[in-house]
Amino acid sequence: MHQYDISEDYSNSSSKMAIAHPQEFRLFWALDKDGDGFVQKAELLTILESNGLTRKDQRLVSLFTKMDAIEGDAVVFEQFLSLTQTVGPLVERLLRGELALPDFKQFSEEVKVEFEKVRENRSGEQATYIPPLAEVNPEQFGLAVISIDGQLLEIGDSETDFSVQSACKPFNYCFALNELGAEKVHQHVGMEPSGQPFNARVLMNDGSGRPHNPMINAGAIMSASLIKANQPLHHRLDHVRQMWSKMTGGSMPRFNAWMAQEESRTGDNNRALDYMMKAAGVLLNGEDSVDHELRDALELYFSACALEINARELATAAATLANGGVCPVTEERVFSEDNVRNCLTLMQICGMYDGSGEFSVKIGLPAKSGVGGAVILVVPQLMGICIWSPRLDVIGNSARGVDMATRLAQKYRIHIYDSNSMLSDRPDPRMQAAKVRSEQTTAALRAASFGDTRTLRRLYSEQISVEAGDYDQRTPLHLAAAEGHIEVVKYLLEQGVDANPKDRWGGTPLEDAELGEHQNVVKLLKEQGAVSGAAQHINSDVGITEEASVHSDSASVAVLLWAASEGDIETLQRCLASGVPISVADYDGRTALHLAASEGHINVLNYLLAHDHPVHVRDRWGTTPFDEAEREGHDEAKNILDQAQIDFHKLEVKPDSSEMNRVIRFLDRVTQACGVKPVIHNKVASVLDDLLALLISQNEAKTNFLINIRINVESNKLQIMTTFNGPEWNPFEEKCSDSENQEDDFDIAGIEIKMIRQLSDLDSRKFS
Ligand code: GLU
């Protein structure tokens, strides 16, 4: 007999890799729906896509290439590992639900709905002052959102080029800041709203003669004049385009020479502004500025306005600002944080022409629009948005752009002055809805079950409900009563909570107090008019109880349990990927398996069982998941759980020594559930090892066989039985005996272990 070191038993390479890469294996395991060691390629692709990680993302090129190279649809762990290693922590964060827009799929669907409503808005007129703008089809409408993690949403004409026009102004300002620093740049341009139209021929009257800010024409011409001032014009334009390509993750903006020419042809007002600035002595070379310097600044400005770009690219540039200056898809820093902060502030107060104030009040985001119909929005630390549609409102902002921005701000908590209260009826797209809900409900329930009145008082003062129920409609009053916390019961009743809320089983707090034999609570509740609700609990006694796990992060536990109760596999996967043990129980001993059984969610039951969720877990009332399925009349769930209880006694192994680890885990589980002393494990394992060794040496064919283990605690017997192609042995019935039995008895630590080799005639000859 010998001892087992589990790690040595991993002879197969997948398992070895799993040990070497536990983090990644956890992700793989979470995705492996039926626990068979494979993840479907199609499913991986769906997860990437539904989270906005697309083939357009250059960070993911090698990931997709590797994925395409995998033959067939099954991905094994080695392949998965190599896939995740190509993209760093992105996949891990994705699978844990930690990307900037955690509920990307839902967000996308909602935004699409709003987009279609805005499509109906045909108000406004497109710009007609030059033919290249007048000729654009005004029906076009595109939107792109890109999160600071590079999650991309595109709707409508998001790939159609349009003239960037004044949407170039914040970026030109950033280019100048990059080159010269804020102090120098602001010697030439102010930081104040002008209170005048964007092209007004006014300069600051503070004695400086500077243009008011970089978002109006005079200021933007000034920014252009500062960019690579000593270089020839074509180098300067090249530089501007290179900078654009850094912000957009690699694509060069196109240059529309006709547009630039037309801008210049009709650009006398801008010329006037340029000369006013010269006269005010505020250009780079002051009053000594010469004509060609002025002309080049204007030409660069016209050319920058005449760049063409699509909504996706412009949204990426906006996301670079949202991301503190780092382009989300290349992860390359383009601007310093300070420069971004300056730019966003000025966009916030001056970005939307004469509508900037109202826009800032209503939408509350740094934004910039242009006569080409673009509106960019920056949601700091979250995402960049570009909405493009050519018709402009009377102020000169894209009518659909403003409409869409307004709807987004009405729907989500993205206004920079929105509170971060969890009580808002508008969701914060930064937060996973499943987590928000759990955080809201769990705190009070847990506090009540721990007798923590202080926390309940705090929650109450924060207007968080101390009455709301969980997935089983268990309320704080139920739990305080169940645990006999009379102070909490008193406090809750004082706050006017319902004294007779009914839980899933019809039970009231009074029954909880009675079950817990908390006489003082019973008395108090009765005084307050509490009644019994005649709760229906059932518990079958199969003589086995498996322990649920504990996990310190109660909000995560609640996320898992809510997900199980709602049939939400995706959230379950995220929980597992984040390291929440699958078999955690709440304050009532309720597990994911109980909830899936109660609600009859077959997909969840199968997922949980495939991930080794214990089947004989018992809640506060001694009820198992099987009992719950039975009580609710979910027949399919009942059958699955019935089979799982039978399978609990049975392990199918291949004749291969690498299987030993599974055998040991299996044995641990069974012996623990049956209260068998842990010291026996190694000895039993040795017996099994002998058995396996024998089988391997004798059985050259790769047939699967069964090892059935039955532990009968009452008779203090443990039986191990192997079956070759024999009839299946049902551990709840007597063993079948259609073939010869050879029995060996082992007396181990006070328990009799009976090893029954149940063999066919042929095999028994081999063993003799
Ligand atoms: N090129 C235009 C101008 O300077 C820009 C118009 C705009 O988008 O505000 O007048």
Side-chain angles (χ1 to χ4, degrees), residues 166-199:
S166 278
C168 72
K169 287 172 178 166
F171 302 108
N172 291 342
Y173 169 57
C174 284
F175 305 155
L177 287 175
N178 253 21
E179 197 180 324
L180 302 172
E183 199 184 328
K184 174 74 182 150
V185 168
H186 285 290
Q187 287 167 6
H188 299 277
V189 58
M191 313 181 194
E192 303 300 333
S194 67
Q196 307 271 342
F198 74 103
N199 53 4

Side-chain angles (χ1 to χ4, degrees), residues 436-454:
V436 174
R437 194 243 323 257
S438 312
E439 274 158 20
Q440 278 170 348
T441 53
T442 319
L445 287 155
R446 270 180 58 91
S449 82
F450 287 140
D452 178 0
T453 322
R454 252 173 63 116

Side-chain angles (χ1 to χ4, degrees), residues 590-660:
R590 301 281 288 168
T591 65
L593 201 66
H594 281 105
L595 289 158
S598 304
E599 302 292 342
H601 293 308
I602 303 305
N603 59 343
V604 176
L605 282 180
N606 287 330
Y607 183 83
L608 295 171
L609 293 170
H611 289 78
D612 298 336
H613 194 298
V615 67
H616 303 94
V617 276
R618 291 177 187 277
D619 64 18
R620 183 189 288 282
W621 303 273
T623 303
T624 63
F626 175 83
D627 301 333
E628 280 292 81
E630 173 146 61
R631 185 184 53 77
E632 295 277 0
H634 297 308
D635 288 340
E636 194 179 350
K638 207 176 117 180
N639 290 340
I640 290 171
L641 289 161
D642 188 28
Q643 191 57 46
Q645 291 189 356
I646 293 170
D647 289 347
F648 172 77
H649 299 261
K650 196 163 70 179
L651 176 68
E652 204 173 299
V653 289
K654 294 191 185 73
D656 185 319
S657 56
S658 69
E659 294 278 82
M660 209 50 219

Side-chain angles (χ1 to χ4, degrees), residues 129 165-166 169 198 217 263 270 301 305 353 369-372:
Y129 69 93
Q165 292 294 338
S166 278
K169 287 172 178 166
F198 74 103
N217 279 15
E263 286 294 343
N270 289 327
Y301 167 71
C305 288
Y353 303 116
S369 59
V371 287

